[in-house]
Amino acid sequence: SSASAKTGGTGNIGVIIPENYYGDAISFYGRLYEKVIRALFENDYYGILELLTKEDERAGSMPRVMQDEKVDGLIFLGQMDEAYIKKMVQQTDLPVFFLDTYVSSVELDTVVSNGYYGMYQLTNYLIEQGHRSIGFVGSVDATSSIADRYWGYRRSLRENKIEFQSGWEIPDRNEDGKSFERLVSDIGDFDAYVCNSDFTALILIRNLEEAGYRVPEDVSVVGFDDFLPAGADEQRITSYKVDMERMA
């Protein structure tokens, strides 16, 4: 018997993803979404994807799948405005889950990867390799997961008695979440970089190589997620693996 027959519902679950994070199917969120759909399917549900535009998010517009009563529940995937999340949760009696985003003011079921301890471990690893001057590449205020990773990095520095310098925080995206194509032009005093994602690490390595540096001979680069778009050279980045299968 299908889920809808059991519950008298639709048998569908809405999956809401901010447009700018979804990108194309090679993005981290694209891959995570595929795994969510498979997990739903194995439990006799269908997933309906709805991409959330910045305009709808700012206006607090309800997703179409909610308006049209097409779903039995919602999964919000990726970072969204706190005000938007609060409004959606107040407007629905449906079960709502969050995946890879966290809002402290809303008490709801949330599944996140352990960015804080993951990045703490990665930074400790770099310090064990003898690195002392370590930059963090990522826009800390962009998402809760980047912030978690940043504070894991800061904790590792502090425990290892390395004084954090203000120039060590290097943004990787603009206000709308679009990645910068140029992150650095020279390495200055850095002997290592900690990147908030493997994708950012890939851009950084390209920038460094274009400027004539060799990775890892001249400077070390680590990423996070253990995820790169298809076709990217995956052998070169030390990373912290996020278990997408289990999250989904």
Side-chain angles (χ1 to χ4, degrees):
S1 74
S2 73
S4 54
K6 283 187 295 216
T7 61
T10 63
N12 299 325
I13 301 291
V15 184
I16 316 295
I17 309 181
E19 205 172 42
N20 55 330
Y21 289 111
Y22 188 69
D24 43 21
I26 61 169
S27 69
F28 178 83
Y29 286 109
R31 180 85 58 92
L32 188 52
Y33 168 71
E34 284 165 22
K35 293 185 186 302
V36 168
I37 292 301
R38 193 168 304 139
L40 288 172
F41 192 72
E42 283 163 8
N43 289 281
D44 299 321
Y45 278 95
Y46 288 102
I48 300 180
L49 172 66
E50 183 165 338
L51 295 181
L52 175 68
T53 65
K54 216 48 200 147
E55 296 76 51
D56 281 349
E57 191 177 347
R58 288 196 183 112
S61 312
M62 196 190 268
R64 286 279 303 279
V65 289
M66 274 169 82
Q67 289 174 29
D68 302 346
E69 296 179 5
K70 292 256 191 278
V71 294
D72 303 335
L74 293 162
I75 297 170
F76 286 96
L77 177 51
Q79 189 80 18
M80 293 165 207
D81 284 343
E82 200 163 327
Y84 178 78
I85 288 174
K86 279 184 173 165
K87 193 171 174 189
M88 290 313 108
V89 173
Q90 284 160 0
Q91 284 180 359
T92 183
D93 300 325
L94 296 173
V96 180
F97 287 83
F98 290 94
L99 188 51
D100 207 47
T101 188
Y102 172 69
V103 177
S104 57
S105 62
V106 183
E107 286 188 26
L108 284 160
D109 294 308
T110 303
V111 180
V112 293
S113 59
N114 198 341
Y116 180 79
Y117 281 104
M119 196 57 98
Y120 170 71
Q121 273 179 281
L122 262 178
T123 312
N124 281 342
Y125 170 75
L126 282 174
I127 294 167
E128 280 158 23
Q129 306 296 312
H131 299 304
R132 309 288 295 171
S133 183
I134 304 168
F136 179 90
V137 190
S139 297
V140 180
D141 299 322
T143 73
S144 58
S145 57
I146 297 176
D148 288 346
R149 293 166 196 189
Y150 172 74
W151 290 111
Y153 150 83
R154 286 291 302 268
R155 177 179 175 173
S156 169
L157 294 182
R158 193 175 179 94
E159 283 184 5
N160 286 285
K161 312 257 188 299
I162 295 173
E163 200 176 325
F164 172 77
Q165 323 275 330
S166 61
W168 287 12
E169 191 185 309
I170 302 159
D172 72 335
R173 63 195 68 190
N174 68 15
E175 308 285 86
D176 292 329
K178 189 163 166 39
S179 297
F180 296 137
E181 283 172 31
R182 177 158 296 286
L183 302 167
V184 295
S185 45
D186 71 88
I187 56 173
D189 296 329
F190 289 121
D191 42 38
Y193 291 98
V194 167
C195 299
N196 78 87
S197 70
D198 288 353
F199 184 65
T200 292
L202 190 67
I203 297 172
L204 179 73
I205 289 171
R206 282 186 192 144
N207 291 172
L208 292 167
E209 288 179 345
E210 282 161 15
Y213 298 103
R214 293 165 309 155
V215 178
E217 293 85 351
D218 299 325
V219 64
S220 294
V221 175
V222 299
F224 200 99
D225 290 335
D226 192 31
F227 173 84
L228 279 172
D233 174 6
E234 309 203 15
Q235 299 316 307
R236 310 165 55 203
I237 301 178
T238 297
S239 190
Y240 180 88
K241 187 172 177 63
V242 169
D243 191 343
M244 281 201 234
E245 210 70 53
R246 199 155 155 239
M247 284 178 77

